[in-house]
Amino acid sequence: MRLVLYQPDIPQNTAAMLRLAACLGVPVDVIEPCGFVWDERRMRRVGMDYLDLAELRRHASWAAYAGEPRGRLILLTTAGSLPVHAFQFRADDSLMMGRESAGVPAEIHEAVDARLVLPLRPGARSLNVALAAAMALGEALRQTDLFPKPNPEEAER
């Protein structure tokens, strides 16, 4: 299981998703360019010490990312028709989140293996991208039994 961020716009959301993935033991792919300057100081400020736990790969472009072998690419999108909870995830899936400002272009919609949606009440447009990632990744990890296993010694403290 991997989390893929397509040209993220907002450093705070990116850091929140990196923290999420780090805590859950899920590697992250970031497809650039980002909509902000990515530097150590800025990312540390918003990602705190969790970034040290993150397994991160940065890709210069969609073409660079798309050229690498992987399992299925699953896009979370407001334009999806299949609810996240009705999809059967696999351990080698990569869950892609689009840009906060524009999602992903049509060519990526065509390239993905599935387009999923988080069902929302009528009139609600979308969730924050980091919240949506947490919900979808949580469902994917639940289905595939890939949640990190608790350490019994830490649970007793």
Side-chain angles (χ1 to χ4, degrees), residues 47-83:
M48 302 186 308
D49 58 338
Y50 289 91
L51 297 185
D52 292 334
L53 298 174
E55 183 182 330
L56 173 65
R57 292 186 63 207
R58 293 170 66 185
H59 306 269
S61 66
W62 165 249
Y65 172 80
E68 295 186 5
R70 63 175 189 286
R72 298 183 305 178
L73 183 58
I74 312 302
L75 177 63
L76 191 63
T77 172
T78 58
S81 57
L82 182 63

Side-chain angles (χ1 to χ4, degrees), residues 34 105 130 136 148:
C34 296

Side-chain angles (χ1 to χ4, degrees), residues 75-140:
L75 177 63
L76 191 63
T77 172
T78 58
S81 57
L82 182 63
V84 167
H85 63 275
F87 185 75
Q88 294 299 306
F89 287 95
R90 297 191 310 222
D92 66 341
D93 285 341
S94 293
L95 181 61
M96 177 182 273
M97 310 303 294
R99 297 180 73 174
E100 293 91 338
S101 63
V104 300
E107 73 175 286
I108 294 175
H109 271 273
E110 296 303 317
V112 300
D113 297 291
R115 290 182 292 279
L116 306 182
V117 65
L118 286 168
L120 302 177
R121 65 186 284 180
R125 290 187 317 272
S126 65
L127 292 171
N128 171 278
V129 69
L131 290 175
M135 291 178 67
L137 191 56
E139 176 62 14

